[in-house]
Amino acid sequence: MSELITPTCTLCKAGLKSIFTELSPAELIQLNQMKTCQLLKKGKVLFSEGTYPRGLYCVQSGKIKVSQIGMDGKEQIVHMVHNGDIMGYRAIFGADKYSCSAVALEDSIICFLPKEPFYKMVENNSKLALKIAHILADELKDAERKITSTAQQPVIQRLAQNLLILQEHYGVEADGATINLQIKREDLANLVGTTRETVTRILYELQHQEIIELSSKKIKILQLDKLKKQAHKI
Amino acid sequence: MSELITPTCTLCKAGLKSIFTELSPAELIQLNQMKTCQLLKKGKVLFSEGTYPRGLYCVQSGKIKVSQIGMDGKEQIVHMVHNGDIMGYRAIFGADKYSCSAVALEDSIICFLPKEPFYKMVENNSKLALKIAHILADELKDAERKITSTAQQPVIQRLAQNLLILQEHYGVEADGATINLQIKREDLANLVGTTRETVTRILYELQHQEIIELSSKKIKILQLDKLKKQAHKI
DNA sequence: TTATTTCTGTGATATACATCACATTTTTAT
DNA sequence: ATAAAAATGTGATGTATATCACAGAAATAA
């Protein structure tokens, strides 16, 4: 975790779409002073399930998986974090341990805000507190949807849905179709809630139907409408 | 939905363990004035997925299931609400539709707080906003756990876990062992994420092992430790 | 570059659970 | 109280997907 040239909060694109829209210029400067930044190399752990939070993490750039370990040691990815997302809101509410771990899927730049000064800021700004509640409510809605689809839908639908989410989340490359993310089969499996082997087989099935095109760890969406149909989103 | 003798917020046990701990006596009185109460008969709908929220619901007594409909019309229960719980926080954040429906599992008394005055109150009380964020964060944590167990664990474990949750949530009857809830097999199935038939079979299996005892719609836990073992909580 | 580790593809096999179909019991309405 | 509707139990059958096992490819380290 080597230190980097620290980006300025006031200019940070990440902040714009996040909670920092609720802050005054003065508060933003204050925020900027209390934060530290780091480069988190691919595969490195930002925080671990069971440890105690020390503050908030704000993703300046990169991709992070947030996952937890099931009873028999299998990983479940519950959230794919990206550019502008903030992790660990729960840190500010008390003494709770992390219920998830966060691991970089590629080199990422992460800003860190220590717990106490941030808490003070929230305490004095109900708009900010409301914004946090709002974000948590949205995440809760997504999580509830995920419970339902996990419980009810076959793997191919869930996989298709997750490909659509990843595409929307991380965008596409210059060709306008390749999802801007390198992800290994096992992570995809742990996101969808299935096995590596099943992901392999279904991805090949989708490729065979010319809905997607595979090249090592990248996925290109050839026919978005057909993918949506597979996801039952049409 | 007939009107009832309205319980007083200041005396309401429900409120004590909820967000209202953050309110001053003056605010509580104000709250009391803006609320209305209703008796919601068993089977009746409090609100429906897809409609627009008009405010917050606070469960004074009774039991409510909060569920959503999957792509092929099957119900998934995402939350079992009880005494003191508040539903529909998301109502205060904007124009979003309900993503779930709420239906009474037994006759329940529900208080209603209209959106706007409550929002004003939250806006002026960052502690209250933080408390709401805190509750949402807890619910999110539970939802994430549920994603993981739904994705990874066999039905018998999930069913056992849910029985434990229901027991903790709703308590037990005078005998100290019968879960204080009448629930039909289908609802249990929709909570666990399986079918009615599978629930029947597994409940009988647990009864055969003398872990539980069934009598129509009630479930008595005979051996809590063994049930926990089935849930892999030991 | 070579060696070593980590990923991926693919077949064979097993199984947990859904689905269907219908009888029986319980609950609700008249 | 009786009829109608809703909920439950149970067997037979099908199938999606996990599991196992191993070879080949790709990525990483030395």
Side-chain angles (χ1 to χ4, degrees):
Chain A
M1 289 192 187
S2 56
E3 293 299 317
L4 276 199
I5 295 149
T6 317
T8 317
C9 290
T10 40
L11 299 174
C12 176
K13 274 185 167 179
L16 287 179
K17 52 174 171 166
S18 76
I19 57 172
F20 305 131
T21 48
E22 300 301 337
L23 297 175
S24 67
E27 284 174 318
L28 263 176
I29 289 166
Q30 195 190 329
L31 192 76
N32 195 45
Q33 282 164 347
M34 72 197 200
K35 78 159 192 295
T36 57
C37 292
Q38 61 183 229
L39 169 65
L40 189 71
K41 297 282 273 183
K42 178 177 173 181
K44 294 293 174 191
V45 177
L46 186 61
F47 55 78
S48 287
E49 192 174 346
T51 63
Y52 289 93
R54 295 175 304 110
L56 247 65
Y57 297 96
C58 178
V59 180
Q60 223 270 319
S61 68
K63 283 143 198 162
I64 311 280
K65 67 170 174 181
V66 175
S67 59
Q68 51 186 204
I69 300 300
M71 331 230 98
D72 23 66
K74 191 174 150 63
E75 180 186 45
Q76 175 68 40
I77 299 178
V78 294
H79 203 200
M80 293 284 286
V81 171
H82 69 306
N83 200 341
D85 284 340
I86 291 184
M87 281 173 289
Y89 286 111
R90 277 166 258 180
I92 60 175
F93 300 126
D96 256 20
K97 292 173 185 171
Y98 282 118
S99 59
C100 296
S101 300
V103 175
L105 294 175
E106 60 180 49
D107 292 2
S108 303
I109 296 171
I110 315 284
C111 295
F112 172 77
L113 302 169
K115 193 170 169 168
E116 294 77 11
F118 185 76
Y119 183 80
K120 290 237 168 61
M121 196 176 256
V122 178
E123 245 186 337
N124 293 315
N125 186 335
S126 66
K127 287 259 185 189
L128 181 55
L130 263 171
K131 180 76 184 184
I132 290 172
H134 196 160
I135 291 171
L136 287 168
D138 284 346
E139 286 186 18
L140 183 57
K141 190 161 96 177
D142 289 348
E144 285 165 353
R145 265 291 147 214
K146 183 152 186 160
I147 290 169
T148 301
S149 71
T150 305
Q152 297 185 0
Q153 293 176 249
V155 176
I156 190 165
Q157 284 177 35
R158 280 156 32 212
L159 180 54
Q161 279 162 22
N162 276 287
L163 292 180
L164 291 170
I165 291 170
L166 291 175
Q167 185 236 34
E168 210 174 288
H169 230 70
Y170 294 115
V172 290
E173 299 189 346
D175 65 3
T178 300
I179 300 173
N180 185 27
L181 169 71
Q182 288 208 287
I183 190 168
K184 47 187 182 185
R185 302 287 182 267
E186 193 170 359
D187 279 334
L188 213 39
N190 293 342
L191 179 64
V192 169
T194 182
T195 58
R196 184 183 66 72
E197 295 93 323
T198 299
V199 166
T200 294
R201 283 186 253 260
I202 292 181
L203 284 180
Y204 273 80
E205 174 58 28
L206 290 173
Q207 182 170 51
H208 179 247
Q209 294 177 233
E210 294 181 321
I211 294 174
I212 62 171
E213 191 181 295
L214 301 165
S215 58
S216 89
K217 288 199 177 50
K218 292 265 180 173
I219 296 166
K220 181 172 177 177
I221 298 176
L222 299 176
Q223 301 189 68
L224 190 60
D225 52 335
K226 285 198 179 174
L227 187 60
K228 283 182 182 166
K229 199 173 278 172
Q230 287 289 356
H232 280 214
K233 295 276 177 181
I234 277 185
Chain B
M1 289 193 187
S2 55
E3 292 299 315
L4 276 200
I5 295 150
T6 317
T8 316
C9 289
T10 41
L11 299 173
C12 176
K13 272 185 168 180
L16 288 179
K17 52 175 171 166
S18 76
I19 57 172
F20 305 132
T21 48
E22 301 301 337
L23 297 176
S24 67
E27 283 173 319
L28 263 177
I29 289 166
Q30 194 190 329
L31 192 75
N32 196 44
Q33 282 163 348
M34 71 197 200
K35 78 158 193 295
T36 57
C37 291
Q38 61 182 231
L39 169 66
L40 189 71
K41 297 282 274 182
K42 178 176 174 181
K44 293 295 174 190
V45 177
L46 186 60
F47 54 80
S48 287
E49 193 173 345
T51 63
Y52 288 93
R54 296 175 303 110
L56 246 66
Y57 297 96
C58 179
V59 179
Q60 223 270 320
S61 67
K63 283 143 197 163
I64 310 280
K65 67 171 173 181
V66 175
S67 59
Q68 51 186 205
I69 300 300
M71 331 231 98
D72 23 65
K74 191 174 151 63
E75 179 187 46
Q76 175 68 40
I77 298 178
V78 295
H79 204 201
M80 293 284 287
V81 172
H82 69 305
N83 200 341
D85 285 339
I86 291 185
M87 281 173 288
Y89 286 112
R90 278 165 257 182
I92 61 174
F93 301 126
D96 255 21
K97 292 172 185 171
Y98 282 118
S99 58
C100 296
S101 300
V103 175
L105 293 176
E106 60 181 49
D107 292 1
S108 303
I109 296 171
I110 315 283
C111 296
F112 173 76
L113 303 169
K115 194 170 167 169
E116 295 77 12
F118 184 76
Y119 183 81
K120 289 235 168 61
M121 196 177 256
V122 177
E123 245 186 337
N124 292 315
N125 186 336
S126 66
K127 288 259 184 191
L128 181 56
L130 263 171
K131 180 77 183 182
I132 291 172
H134 196 159
I135 290 170
L136 288 167
D138 284 345
E139 285 186 18
L140 182 57
K141 189 161 96 178
D142 289 346
E144 285 166 353
R145 264 292 146 213
K146 184 151 184 160
I147 290 169
T148 301
S149 70
T150 305
Q152 297 186 359
Q153 293 176 249
V155 175
I156 189 164
Q157 283 177 36
R158 279 156 33 213
L159 180 54
Q161 279 162 22
N162 277 287
L163 292 180
L164 291 170
I165 291 170
L166 291 175
Q167 185 235 33
E168 210 174 290
H169 230 69
Y170 294 114
V172 289
E173 300 189 345
D175 64 4
T178 301
I179 300 173
N180 186 27
L181 169 71
Q182 286 208 287
I183 189 168
K184 47 186 182 185
R185 302 287 183 266
E186 194 171 358
D187 279 334
L188 213 39
N190 294 341
L191 178 64
V192 169
T194 182
T195 59
R196 184 183 66 72
E197 295 93 324
T198 299
V199 165
T200 294
R201 283 186 253 261
I202 293 181
L203 284 180
Y204 273 81
E205 174 58 27
L206 290 173
Q207 181 170 49
H208 179 248
Q209 294 178 231
E210 295 183 318
I211 295 174
I212 61 171
E213 189 182 296
L214 302 166
S215 58
S216 88
K217 287 198 178 51
K218 292 265 181 174
I219 296 167
K220 181 172 178 176
I221 299 177
L222 298 176
Q223 301 189 67
L224 189 60
D225 52 335
K226 285 197 179 174
L227 187 60
K228 283 182 183 168
K229 200 172 277 172
Q230 287 290 355
H232 280 214
K233 295 276 177 183
I234 278 185

